Amino acid sequence: MSSKLHLSPKADVKSLISSLVTKTKVISGKYHRFLDRHFPRFYVLYTTFMKGLQMSWADAKKAKRIKTNMWKHNIKFHQLSYREMEHLRQFRRDVTKCLFLGIISIPPFANYLVFLLMYLFPRQLLIKHFWTPKQQIDFLEIYHTIRKQSHPEILCYLEKIIPHISDAGLQWHMTELCTKVQRGTHPAVHDILALREGFSKHPLGMNHLHTLQMKALSRAMLLTPHLPSVLLRHRLKTHTTVIHQLDKALAKLGISQLTAQEVKSACYLRGLNSTLIAEERCRAWLAEWLQISCSLKEAELSLLLHNVVLLSINYTGTRR
């Protein structure tokens, strides 16, 4: 009998696979070091792209798990936890952004054009997973500049609409609020909530907003304003309702449970340029937002929509 021990065929296969994986990792490491040393700019793009693919795949799997659980247990979107709701909201927006790339890459050889467009227009065509760290900072600043350009138009509309408000008390409160904001004062929560009734009916209710105001509000929410008024109104309603549902879930969870990045992202979604503000100031602002949002009924959500401007425009640290 031979004294040598022989591995089984199954063990031989496992050993071979393990050896191949080890060698692949060594080669990959050498390739990464070569790119980093000789082509540093390309290496940043390469690593960002690879990480982006991994993060996008992980997002898709998580979204699928959430949707499967919703289907199995008959759970509605507003019944999800805050983080599940936020994940689905962001994933839907990311998928929508990727649809354009998917459509234009259908024709033969169009994928070469797609790669060129992705390189030339990363902000417009790529989701944030594929942005470099510097691009993330720069692009968020650009997006906030775009929505900030709509602020004067929105405030001007509110001032012009004051004479058309039937209630004298609401007229006075609106005049006071507009004056405070135009003078650079950050309004108190009670200043904004005093107007909730005025935003539930003509002329400031969601169903009564003028087309130009809806276009300006769409820009303030980073939504396209280039749609018919019917679609603009529907999209603003849907977007504001989702934020209202998120706010209720966040109030249940507690702001203290959020990480620093989650707080910054939540504030940015609601109109605040949180990239320029300390975390504690962001938490304080988000607490004010939730106090307003959780006090509103569905019919008063036009106030929450305008709150994107009213509560953020003069907050400490946002003006330059």
Side-chain angles (χ1 to χ4, degrees):
M1 179 183 285
S2 174
S3 60
K4 293 182 180 179
L5 293 174
H6 295 281
L7 296 174
S8 67
K10 189 174 182 181
D12 285 340
V13 172
K14 284 185 177 180
S15 178
L16 179 61
I17 292 174
S18 177
S19 177
L20 286 174
V21 169
T22 302
K23 288 181 179 179
T24 302
K25 285 182 178 178
V26 171
I27 294 171
S28 177
K30 289 180 179 179
Y31 178 62
H32 278 235
R33 287 192 294 273
F34 172 78
L35 289 178
D36 190 22
R37 195 163 50 244
H38 298 284
F39 306 99
R41 291 185 65 184
F42 174 77
Y43 179 69
V44 171
L45 294 176
Y46 171 76
T47 53
T48 300
F49 181 75
M50 295 307 295
K51 287 178 182 176
L53 286 177
Q54 293 172 358
M55 294 170 73
S56 298
W57 179 244
D59 281 354
K61 290 197 295 183
K62 184 176 179 180
K64 184 180 178 181
R65 283 199 304 270
I66 296 171
K67 293 292 289 184
T68 301
N69 188 54
M70 290 173 68
W71 178 77
K72 281 184 177 179
H73 300 95
N74 195 28
I75 299 171
K76 304 298 182 184
F77 178 79
H78 68 274
Q79 296 173 316
L80 294 172
S81 69
Y82 171 76
R83 288 191 173 96
E84 289 175 331
M85 290 171 69
E86 175 56 24
H87 185 84
L88 283 187
R89 184 201 67 80
Q90 186 60 53
F91 183 73
R92 287 169 183 169
R93 294 205 72 177
D94 289 346
V95 169
T96 302
K97 197 170 187 179
C98 292
L99 276 178
F100 174 72
L101 284 179
I103 292 171
I104 64 175
S105 64
I106 291 174
F109 307 108
N111 53 325
Y112 298 107
L113 173 62
V114 170
F115 283 120
L116 178 62
L117 291 175
M118 286 164 59
Y119 179 77
L120 295 176
F121 307 103
R123 178 174 64 85
Q124 293 87 347
L125 297 178
L126 298 180
I127 61 177
K128 63 180 181 179
H129 292 332
F130 295 96
W131 297 347
T132 65
K134 184 178 183 303
Q135 284 176 332
Q136 290 194 27
I137 296 171
D138 293 343
F139 292 169
L140 287 178
E141 188 66 30
I142 291 170
Y143 277 129
H144 186 70
T145 299
I146 291 171
R147 64 184 179 186
K148 197 165 62 172
Q149 291 170 353
S150 67
H151 291 182
E153 187 177 344
I154 293 169
L155 292 175
C156 183
Y157 177 83
L158 290 178
E159 288 181 323
K160 287 181 178 179
I161 214 72
I162 290 173
H164 300 280
I165 298 174
S166 57
D167 187 281
L170 289 174
Q171 274 194 13
W172 184 85
H173 281 298
M174 180 65 80
T175 303
E176 285 291 299
L177 180 63
C178 288
T179 301
K180 280 185 177 181
V181 172
Q182 293 287 18
R183 287 177 179 173
T185 303
H186 177 66
V189 169
H190 63 81
D191 291 331
I192 295 174
L193 285 178
L195 294 164
R196 54 192 294 179
E197 185 184 344
F199 281 85
S200 65
K201 55 188 178 182
H202 186 273
L204 291 171
M206 193 74 81
N207 293 325
H208 304 282
L209 292 174
H210 192 274
T211 301
L212 291 177
Q213 181 72 340
M214 289 193 294
K215 287 180 180 291
L217 288 165
S218 294
R219 292 196 299 274
M221 299 291 276
L222 295 177
L223 301 171
T224 178
H226 308 297
L227 292 172
S229 58
V230 174
L231 294 180
L232 281 175
R233 196 182 312 278
H234 173 75
R235 199 172 187 199
L236 286 172
K237 275 184 180 180
T238 302
H239 198 70
T240 310
T241 299
V242 168
I243 291 179
H244 193 225
Q245 291 170 343
L246 278 167
D247 290 340
K248 289 181 178 179
L250 178 53
K252 186 177 180 180
L253 174 67
I255 297 174
S256 61
Q257 299 300 310
L258 299 185
T259 64
Q261 184 55 50
E262 286 176 327
V263 169
K264 295 259 183 180
S265 297
C267 289
Y268 194 90
L269 172 65
R270 291 158 178 79
L272 187 71
N273 191 9
S274 51
T275 57
L276 303 174
I277 304 175
E279 179 191 339
E280 288 308 310
R281 294 292 297 161
C282 287
R283 289 184 185 275
W285 184 88
L286 191 55
E288 290 184 6
W289 174 282
L290 290 185
Q291 190 177 346
I292 293 169
S293 179
C294 294
S295 300
L296 299 178
K297 300 174 184 176
E298 186 178 348
E300 301 165 338
L301 289 187
S302 177
L303 177 55
L304 190 66
L305 180 57
H306 286 81
N307 205 39
V308 169
V309 178
L310 296 173
L311 199 66
S312 67
I313 190 171
N314 295 323
Y315 192 66
T316 305
T318 61
R319 303 194 100 191
R320 290 184 173 182

